[in-house]
Amino acid sequence: MMFRLQLLQRLQSGAPVPLVCCQIHKLASLQKATSLPPRKMQSLLYPFSGLEVHLDRSVDRMQFQLFHPSVEDMMEAEKLYCSSPSHKIDYHISAVRLDHAPALTQPEVCFIGRSNVGKSSLIKALFSLAPEVEVRVSKTPGHTKKMNFFRVGKAFTLVDMPGYGHKAPGDFVDMVEPYLYTRKNLVRTFLLVDGSVGLQKADLIALEMCEETRSPYVMVVTKIDKCGQGALLTNLLSLQDVVKHQTTSCFPQPFLISSVHYWGIHLLRCFIAHVTGSIRLKNTSKSGSDTSRVH
């Protein structure tokens, strides 16, 4: 009743009425995820586990399980992705050039990737527990033409970068490269790769750019629901070979994601919370061994 009165007052006053989508994916919350049968829950939270049975015994699995927090730790991290009066999650500002970027002090993570790799869909899934946050998802490649800044309370900032490759903004390099080189509060770059097609030439150029900046970055494999397990494993092992032999600043573990089915979303949320120092996790490794490479 109170909401209806407030809405009526806004309409009568001519004030803009915010459009809030209240529909939340059924698996966006860990509480729902943990009600699944054990095998389905395992595949949802740790997507690589569903591929292990198809791997040859000679393949080293440890590189895919360096960051393997408990469900309890994921639940603790999930709190950061829920808005409250004292912890507001919102779109902050967009910038077309680095000198237009806001001077923020909290830790920052940025997402880069080829146009149509599913970057906006992934960010929308990460923020799905705060549906009032507007993340525009377009079917048109190259839709994101600005750096979009999202604040997660006082914990950290997430930056959505323009896409590169086909139909991408021509000034991608002019915009992103200076950001990667000079942004002092940037703690991690997430480089997205389409799991259904594997590494493309444009991805390798972006990877080289990340290597040149010598700042830590992570590979995120998107759209893992768009192809068969055989093709996905082939692309994943090829990517892993590149990471192992051609990178020095890349975190060895790729994160497997499906923004449609929410596979890997909870794990990635937890990793972001961890690397930004927003939360202290009890144990991030499946083996319980040294996890210094995570930092």
Side-chain angles (χ1 to χ4, degrees), residues 230-248:
L232 176 59
L233 273 173
T234 298
N235 293 334
L236 188 59
L237 293 176
S238 176
L239 180 148
Q240 195 68 357
D241 188 62
V242 170
V243 170
K244 183 177 180 180
H245 296 104
Q246 299 182 33
T247 71
T248 57

Side-chain angles (χ1 to χ4, degrees), residues 120-131:
S120 296
S121 296
L122 171 55
I123 295 172
K124 189 177 182 70
L126 290 172
F127 288 148
S128 55
L129 295 174

Side-chain angles (χ1 to χ4, degrees), residues 1-274:
M1 184 66 178
M2 182 61 69
F3 175 77
R4 292 177 64 186
L5 288 173
Q6 291 174 343
L7 180 60
L8 183 61
Q9 289 170 354
R10 278 181 172 271
L11 289 171
Q12 290 173 341
S13 66
V17 179
L19 296 177
V20 178
C21 177
C22 297
Q23 187 175 3
I24 299 177
H25 193 281
K26 61 182 180 181
L27 296 176
S29 166
L30 264 172
Q31 184 177 5
K32 295 290 186 181
T34 53
S35 65
L36 294 172
R39 183 175 294 181
K40 286 189 176 181
M41 185 187 79
Q42 182 78 3
S43 296
L44 175 77
L45 300 184
Y46 311 100
F48 177 73
S49 64
L51 298 175
E52 278 191 278
V53 293
H54 302 286
L55 282 176
D56 187 271
R57 291 183 180 180
S58 62
V59 176
D60 180 14
R61 290 159 169 75
M62 195 58 226
Q63 299 303 307
F64 296 95
Q65 300 167 335
L66 290 172
F67 186 76
H68 197 95
S70 66
V71 174
E72 290 74 19
D73 280 337
M74 288 192 199
M75 285 184 171
E76 190 65 25
E78 186 179 272
K79 296 174 184 177
L80 285 169
Y81 297 86
C82 301
S83 284
S84 70
S86 60
H87 180 75
K88 189 176 180 182
I89 303 174
D90 61 1
Y91 158 77
H92 179 51
I93 197 172
S94 295
V96 294
R97 296 201 312 267
L98 184 59
D99 55 0
H100 291 173
L104 303 173
T105 57
Q106 61 260 45
E108 206 159 88
V109 297
C110 76
F111 283 61
I112 66 174
R114 192 162 50 86
S115 296
N116 206 32
V117 74
K119 183 158 47 65
S120 296
S121 296
L122 171 55
I123 295 172
K124 189 177 182 70
L126 290 172
F127 288 148
S128 55
L129 295 174
E132 69 276 11
V133 180
E134 184 181 4
V135 183
R136 294 180 179 179
V137 179
S138 173
K139 294 181 180 179
T140 305
H143 175 76
T144 303
K145 300 181 185 298
K146 301 177 181 179
M147 295 183 284
N148 297 317
F149 292 77
F150 298 88
R151 290 187 300 189
V152 181
K154 296 179 180 179
F156 62 89
T157 304
L158 188 151
V159 187
D160 180 13
M161 290 293 191
Y164 55 79
H166 179 60
K167 294 184 179 179
D171 57 353
F172 171 82
V173 174
D174 293 337
M175 190 186 303
V176 177
E177 192 169 26
Y179 172 89
L180 295 180
Y181 268 106
T182 63
R183 195 70 171 175
K184 296 186 182 302
N185 57 332
L186 177 65
V187 296
R188 201 67 49 122
T189 297
F190 291 86
L191 174 56
L192 277 57
V193 174
D194 188 332
S196 64
V197 298
L199 278 170
Q200 303 293 292
K201 183 178 180 180
D203 298 321
L204 293 172
I205 294 173
L207 186 146
E208 288 177 8
M209 184 172 66
C210 289
E211 282 292 312
E212 288 175 1
T213 66
R214 297 186 178 180
S215 58
Y217 64 101
V218 183
M219 303 290 278
V220 178
V221 182
T222 64
K223 301 184 180 182
I224 64 172
D225 57 294
K226 298 295 184 183
C227 62
Q229 290 185 324
L232 176 59
L233 273 173
T234 298
N235 293 334
L236 188 59
L237 293 176
S238 176
L239 180 148
Q240 195 68 357
D241 188 62
V242 170
V243 170
K244 183 177 180 180
H245 296 104
Q246 299 182 33
T247 71
T248 57
S249 302
C250 185
F251 183 55
Q253 175 181 336
F255 284 78
L256 312 184
I257 294 291
S258 167
S259 299
V260 176
H261 300 293
Y262 274 63
W263 301 335
I265 294 296
H266 304 281
L267 185 65
L268 187 57
R269 280 178 184 159
C270 194
F271 185 78
I272 294 171
H274 179 60

